[in-house]
Amino acid sequence: MTYNHHKDHSAAAAEFLVNKERVQWHDDALWFVRSKRDKAAFALPEWEGLRTQASAIKDHTLSCLDEYLQQFEQNAARNGIHIHWALDAQEHNDIVYSILARHGARKIVKSKSMLTEECHLNDHLEQKGIEVVDTDLGERIVQLNDEPPSHIVLPAIHIKKEEVGAIFHKHLGTEAGASDPQYLTNAAREHLRQKFLTADIAITGVNFAVAETGSIVVCTNEGNADLGVHLAKVHIACMGIEKIIPRTEHLGVFLRLLARSATGQAITTYSSHFQRPAAGSEMHVVIVDNGRTTQLGREAFRNSLKCIRCGACLNTCPVYRRSGGHSYHNAVAGPIGAILAPNLDMKKNADLPFASTLCGSCTDVCPVKIDIHDQLYQWRQVLVQEGYVATGKKAGMKVMAAILSSPGRFSMAGKLARKMLKWFPRLAMNGKLNPWGRQRELPEVPAESFREWYKREHGK
Amino acid sequence: MRVALFVPCYVDQFYPKVAIATLKLLQRLGLEVEFPAGQTCCGQPMANGGFEHYTAGCNSNFIKSFSGYDHIVCPSGSCVLHLKDHLHDEKQEAEADRIRSRVYELCEFLTDIVDLQSLDVSFPHKVALHQGCHGQRGLQLSASSERVVPFFSKPLRLLQMVHGLELAPLDRPDECCGFGGTFCVSEEAVSSAMGLSRIADYQQHEATVLTGTDMSCLMHQEGLIRRKQLPIKVMHIAEILSGS
Ligand code: SF4
């Protein structure tokens, strides 16, 4: 379930793009989701106002996150919930395992949680001999296929239904060659039902943690979080520190934005509120930092923590749609992943902020108004200054800066470049080392530059 | 009114006809336009590559070249956005500030300053408009399709003034073409795929001419079009508006 770390985004994307038919279909499928989002958003005249409110609530919350976290802890504890604090992924995994170990649990059902993906919880637990079953349909498909999700909301968006048929045939014994979604969904439901009924403990993610009530809200379309929690004796909910919102009434803003942005639905089918454990059962909330306080301390990148993981920036991103989620080699892919990942590991993720044209569609679609493309630009500056780009690029940039800052040098270099292109156009085009020319012609070279023309015309 | 023409470096070298069209268009509207000879580049190629700290030379040269003008007009939304966002100079920040507020993309200038209401040119072709992202989303040349705001588009409005011009409706009217500066080579595969899907959209709607506010986006798409020898002519919006 790990990524191929040897490939950077560009190389992995090029590989994804080899199968043109798949790319077309991946792009169309995600564009369809984006279009549904547009319809839902444009049906609310107050949409932009909601975004402003959501952004303001999150900004405020982040500005006094410590207080709200403590308030949440106190209220949750009063409700009988056990609260745990984890500094990083390792601590998070250890805490979860210790709860499982205390109950002697062997079988776990888990509803969708990007945080547990980020922490690689499944690997950790499986190594200890515990069976973890992802119960979200898309998550289960990628889990059976032994790969990570490629999208934060649509984990199996890169897999076609025929391939799902093959995966289910292999693991669940469905008919060979089956690709009817209804048939496959029923098979998955049957399979998961057994897992739900025999699970010892249910793990869920958290969409919102309400400070004033000490309760959590989990949004799903399949109801798998509820089913898991209600059938198991113990519920463990894992959340990043940024999931806090101050008050219940704020859900009126976020729940309206979340599903519309994610899939174009007015609201997720299930918005499940968990406030206290049922009689005779236990409820735990693990609150995880894992680099978030570092991000909170980086002023230019702080507001990436406003993210509600709706996935809209992935759906709208023309690069994501054509490169696939795995090319981002990070639990969270797409534009938001590209500004979160360097915070976790600059060296490993230095390629991601460059995997963008800075078109800004992500920023305009984001329901909590994160300035995603500006942060991509800022990350580029940081990564260069911290020495995470190739030295060749640095030298080239220096030469370019020298040429472009002097009119004399610029005119000369321009003349030279035009001559070279004229003399060697085919050479430049066909060279394997010239990526421009792989699928594109170079511009036709004019006899003179504008400044030469101007001088001639105006006699200066 | 002293108007200066800023010609992006690559337009100067590879697309002089676009700069000439811009100049003639402005002159035809009765404006006195100067081309400050010392100009070079806005610095964006370095900055978007993560080397904003190498742009000090470009910045001071830009300020030296364009001080004292009432308006600076440029046929590129991308370069203008870069200047508006990043033109700074410790030694002359007041002047940098002044320039940042006086630099305009061509369509923006024709709409907001000149208040152009009609044009006496004709162009009887079916035209697809590519909205360059930096101009559209950054400079707000037109409403982006993600935002719930009333529709407007400065370039589209100008094209509608051209006699005989038919606009091709597009399935994705403001999707990025994939140029993205160094992105077009560092992510060649994605960049080309993005460009090709824009072109498929134009073809689907039988456009015979592709136009836009940024020659960089157009250069990339023209490269793809010419390689595939498709029957689409690529022209900067200034060429259409000036009747050249
Ligand atoms: S960054 Fe914004 S658009 Fe992207 S997933 Fe987060 S909330 Fe959604």
Side-chain angles (χ1 to χ4, degrees):
Chain A
M1 289 258 298
T2 48
Y3 307 89
N4 185 348
H5 289 311
H6 305 294
K7 278 207 183 75
D8 66 4
H9 179 272
S10 171
E15 207 163 90
F16 184 74
L17 277 158
V18 168
N19 187 339
K20 294 214 164 58
E21 191 209 343
R22 180 188 298 273
V23 177
Q24 179 77 45
W25 156 85
H26 188 257
D27 174 53
D28 284 343
L30 288 159
W31 184 260
F32 176 71
V33 182
R34 152 83 209 263
S35 306
K36 275 177 67 189
R37 169 268 172 208
D38 290 351
K39 270 198 204 92
F42 277 83
L44 294 187
E46 69 271 36
W47 183 258
E48 297 300 325
L50 277 175
R51 289 176 74 217
T52 306
Q53 262 184 304
S55 171
I57 295 167
K58 283 280 183 182
D59 275 335
H60 163 76
T61 311
L62 289 173
S63 74
C64 34
L65 193 55
D66 52 336
E67 290 170 35
Y68 284 120
L69 281 166
Q70 283 175 323
Q71 195 187 336
F72 174 77
E73 178 182 36
Q74 281 161 13
N75 290 329
R78 201 169 299 142
N79 298 339
I81 301 173
H82 302 275
I83 299 289
H84 310 260
W85 299 89
L87 185 62
D88 54 22
Q90 185 63 47
E91 232 176 76
H92 163 265
N93 294 347
D94 289 343
I95 290 168
V96 172
Y97 178 69
S98 72
I99 301 170
L100 304 189
R102 190 146 39 75
H103 289 274
R106 310 304 304 166
K107 293 179 172 204
I108 310 301
V109 284
K110 181 157 83 59
S111 74
K112 208 155 90 36
S113 144
M114 287 316 297
L115 176 71
T116 58
E117 288 293 337
E118 175 187 321
C119 296
H120 303 291
L121 177 69
N122 286 16
D123 290 346
H124 182 83
L125 296 182
E126 278 157 13
Q127 273 162 25
K128 308 244 180 212
I130 289 169
E131 180 195 71
V132 189
V133 174
D134 282 316
T135 57
D136 171 278
L137 179 57
E139 288 258 323
R140 187 61 181 150
I141 294 168
V142 292
Q143 189 185 29
L144 289 174
N145 209 32
D146 195 26
E147 58 179 349
S150 68
H151 186 291
I152 57 181
V153 174
L154 312 161
I157 188 70
H158 60 292
I159 303 178
K160 292 183 152 195
K161 58 182 195 289
E162 292 75 21
E163 293 164 332
V164 173
I167 295 167
F168 281 9
H169 173 64
K170 181 170 162 201
H171 296 278
L172 310 183
T174 52
E175 280 166 42
S179 67
D180 174 40
Q182 195 56 47
Y183 168 75
L184 294 172
T185 308
N186 282 340
R189 199 169 283 162
E190 214 37 64
H191 157 73
L192 288 171
R193 189 163 300 152
Q194 291 312 312
K195 300 294 178 188
F196 278 123
L197 289 171
T198 53
D200 303 312
I201 287 183
I203 297 177
T204 70
V206 171
N207 288 91
F208 304 98
V210 185
E212 71 171 354
T213 59
S215 63
I216 60 164
V217 179
V218 182
C219 303
T220 69
N221 272 332
E222 296 164 27
N224 51 323
D226 304 62
L227 199 54
V229 169
H230 292 132
L231 287 171
K233 278 269 170 259
V234 181
H235 172 195
I236 306 173
C238 305
M239 61 178 264
I241 55 172
E242 81 284 14
K243 294 291 170 195
I244 290 278
I245 57 171
R247 313 237 290 259
T248 304
E249 67 184 40
H250 296 152
L251 288 169
V253 174
F254 290 108
L255 291 179
R256 295 185 80 196
L257 287 168
L258 177 62
R260 284 182 172 87
S261 298
T263 57
Q265 295 164 271
I267 194 156
T268 41
T269 315
Y270 298 85
S271 304
S272 314
H273 299 243
F274 299 97
Q275 190 156 8
R276 55 176 56 85
S281 49
E282 248 177 63
M283 181 172 167
H284 298 259
V285 174
V286 188
I287 304 173
V288 185
D289 179 348
N290 203 33
R292 286 165 177 73
T293 48
T294 313
Q295 190 88 322
L296 196 62
R298 298 187 206 269
E299 212 187 321
F301 308 114
R302 172 177 305 156
N303 86 23
S304 60
L305 294 172
K306 293 193 294 189
C307 177
I308 57 173
R309 301 289 192 271
C310 70
C313 60
L314 284 71
N315 303 340
T316 204
C317 178
V319 175
Y320 173 86
R321 278 187 266 112
R322 291 177 186 81
S323 52
H326 292 154
S327 64
Y328 293 79
H329 52 76
N330 184 59
V332 180
I336 179 66
I339 58 174
L340 292 175
N343 178 59
L344 291 171
D345 187 337
M346 282 198 215
K347 190 168 190 284
K348 203 171 86 189
N349 300 310
D351 56 328
L352 296 183
F354 293 92
S356 162
T357 59
L358 306 182
C359 78
S361 180
C362 45
T363 300
D364 280 349
V365 88
C366 176
V368 291
K369 288 195 169 185
I370 300 173
D371 52 343
I372 306 173
H373 75 294
D374 287 330
Q375 292 191 36
L376 289 167
Y377 176 89
Q378 292 302 336
W379 266 121
R380 294 179 183 187
Q381 313 304 322
V382 171
L383 290 164
V384 165
Q385 307 240 356
E386 305 262 329
Y388 292 109
V389 298
T391 41
K393 185 174 174 187
K394 202 166 160 182
M397 283 288 177
K398 222 174 199 152
V399 173
M400 183 148 88
I403 292 170
L404 293 178
S405 60
S406 143
R409 282 195 291 264
F410 174 71
S411 294
M412 244 172 52
K415 231 180 231 157
L416 198 67
R418 274 181 288 124
K419 282 231 173 73
M420 300 263 288
L421 285 185
K422 210 171 207 163
W423 291 341
F424 305 117
R426 277 290 144 189
L427 186 79
M429 299 304 309
N430 296 333
K432 278 224 167 65
L433 292 174
N434 174 13
W436 174 276
R438 234 169 256 155
Q439 302 183 60
R440 289 170 287 218
E441 295 290 326
L442 282 162
E444 271 160 355
V445 186
E448 59 183 354
S449 67
F450 175 73
R451 65 187 60 214
E452 286 165 347
W453 173 88
Y454 190 85
K455 213 167 170 182
R456 201 159 48 70
E457 287 281 308
H458 295 75
K460 279 189 216 163
Chain B
M1 182 154 85
R2 287 188 73 208
V3 178
L5 175 64
F6 168 45
V7 176
C9 52
Y10 66 95
V11 171
D12 178 40
Q13 293 298 323
F14 297 115
Y15 295 99
K17 59 179 183 174
V18 172
I20 295 170
T22 308
L23 179 67
K24 294 204 163 151
L25 172 60
L26 294 171
Q27 284 172 338
R28 183 151 345 120
L29 298 171
L31 296 161
E32 249 178 70
V33 185
E34 292 171 46
F35 174 73
Q39 61 178 283
T40 54
C41 169
C42 65
Q44 179 170 221
M46 281 83 74
N48 280 3
F51 292 80
E52 195 182 327
H53 58 298
Y54 283 4
T55 60
C58 275
N59 284 350
S60 62
N61 187 63
F62 194 92
I63 294 168
K64 197 164 108 200
S65 306
F66 288 98
S67 274
Y69 289 99
D70 297 313
H71 302 291
I72 301 154
V73 183
C74 168
S76 158
S78 189
C79 301
V80 170
L81 179 67
H82 177 76
L83 290 164
K84 279 195 178 299
D85 284 352
H86 302 289
L87 183 75
H88 292 287
D89 189 337
E90 275 172 16
K91 292 200 204 86
Q92 36 186 345
E93 191 52 31
E95 194 50 39
D97 200 44
R98 192 172 166 277
I99 289 178
R100 284 200 309 275
S101 66
R102 281 161 195 265
V103 55
Y104 295 90
E105 182 280 331
L106 175 66
C107 296
E108 187 180 31
F109 181 73
L110 295 177
T111 308
D112 299 348
I113 304 298
V114 176
D115 193 21
L116 194 68
Q117 296 299 335
S118 66
L119 265 174
D120 193 18
V121 290
S122 94
F123 192 75
H125 300 283
K126 192 160 185 187
V127 176
L129 171 65
H130 169 67
Q131 315 250 19
C133 304
H134 291 174
Q136 187 198 21
R137 296 200 177 81
L139 296 175
Q140 299 279 297
L141 293 186
S142 47
S144 63
S145 60
E146 300 86 10
R147 295 185 58 224
V148 181
V149 293
F151 179 78
F152 69 95
S153 168
K154 294 173 189 178
L156 214 58
R157 182 180 154 273
L158 293 170
L159 288 174
Q160 279 163 345
M161 293 177 192
V162 176
H163 307 296
L165 185 149
E166 188 191 347
L167 281 161
L170 299 175
D171 290 342
R172 301 182 187 180
D174 59 0
E175 182 163 81
C176 178
C177 68
F179 171 67
T182 49
F183 179 89
C184 75
V185 285
S186 66
E187 290 265 6
E188 185 274 334
V190 182
S191 172
S192 296
M194 285 167 69
L196 289 172
S197 33
R198 293 314 311 125
I199 293 164
D201 199 355
Y202 312 145
Q203 285 199 291
Q204 178 113 26
H205 296 92
E206 290 157 354
T208 53
V209 176
L210 164 63
T211 192
T213 50
D214 266 279
M215 213 50 229
S216 49
C217 309
L218 296 178
M219 172 172 71
H220 155 69
Q221 296 177 74
E222 185 181 43
L224 294 162
I225 288 170
R226 282 183 41 225
R227 175 62 62 88
K228 286 200 177 275
Q229 302 183 324
L230 302 174
I232 300 177
K233 192 171 177 212
V234 180
M235 293 172 80
H236 189 273
I237 194 166
E239 297 178 272
I240 295 179
L241 298 179
S242 68
S244 57

